[in-house]
Amino acid sequence: AVVSTQSTGYYSGLVNCEDTACGFTTRQTPVSEWCPQCYKGRVKYVYNEAMLFNQLSYLQSLVDFNALSAKVPAKRKAALLSPIVHLEQVLAVPYKTMTGILNRNAYSIINMTNLFAMFAA
């Protein structure tokens, strides 16, 4: 439900004027970067691709079992073995779903190693 809410916010395509006195909001794709109502402020998307990617990455981090289990001290892991195994099974499906969604996103395709490989020589 949370992923659906975040995606709906992005796909609604709302843009608003940066000028606080104007406050114009619309779903129409702007022809120029200037506000069609006041012509003073620039229009920007309320919820852009980077915001969506960051939110989905955060949601993925909440269900990342490996990161969560790394935070548990070694002394406590032995006592919590049974609940930890169950938690791993419960978190596997949402983690796999979030990973699939993020892998389809263009922000996850950029490989910084390949991008700056020419400078490493």
Side-chain angles (χ1 to χ4, degrees), residues 3-16 25-30 44-49 51-52:
V3 175
S4 177
T5 304
Q6 298 302 320
S7 298
T8 303
Y10 169 71
Y11 286 115
S12 67
L14 286 175
V15 293
N16 67 350
T25 302
T26 185
R27 286 187 178 184
Q28 294 179 344
T29 304
K44 290 197 173 186
Y45 283 98
V46 174
Y47 200 78
N48 62 25
E49 300 92 357
M51 291 174 173
L52 179 63

Side-chain angles (χ1 to χ4, degrees), residues 18-112:
E18 286 184 329
D19 187 6
T20 55
C22 176
F24 179 70
T25 302
T26 185
R27 286 187 178 184
Q28 294 179 344
T29 304
V31 177
S32 70
E33 63 182 21
W34 299 102
C35 177
Q37 188 169 0
C38 70
Y39 299 105
K40 295 177 184 174
R42 296 179 182 206
V43 291
K44 290 197 173 186
Y45 283 98
V46 174
Y47 200 78
N48 62 25
E49 300 92 357
M51 291 174 173
L52 179 63
F53 183 78
N54 287 338
Q55 185 67 36
L56 293 177
S57 296
Y58 172 71
L59 291 174
Q60 181 189 29
S61 72
L62 292 178
V63 294
D64 185 4
F65 176 77
N66 294 329
L68 292 173
S69 65
K71 294 179 182 178
V72 177
K75 296 176 186 177
R76 301 267 305 156
K77 279 187 183 180
L80 298 173
L81 188 59
S82 177
I84 286 178
V85 171
H86 180 67
L87 182 63
E88 182 177 15
Q89 294 169 353
V90 170
L91 293 179
V93 174
Y95 181 76
K96 185 177 178 183
T97 304
M98 292 304 301
T99 303
I101 292 170
L102 288 172
N103 286 341
R104 289 190 307 251
N105 192 306
Y107 281 93
S108 67
I109 295 174
I110 298 172
N111 185 345
M112 299 304 277

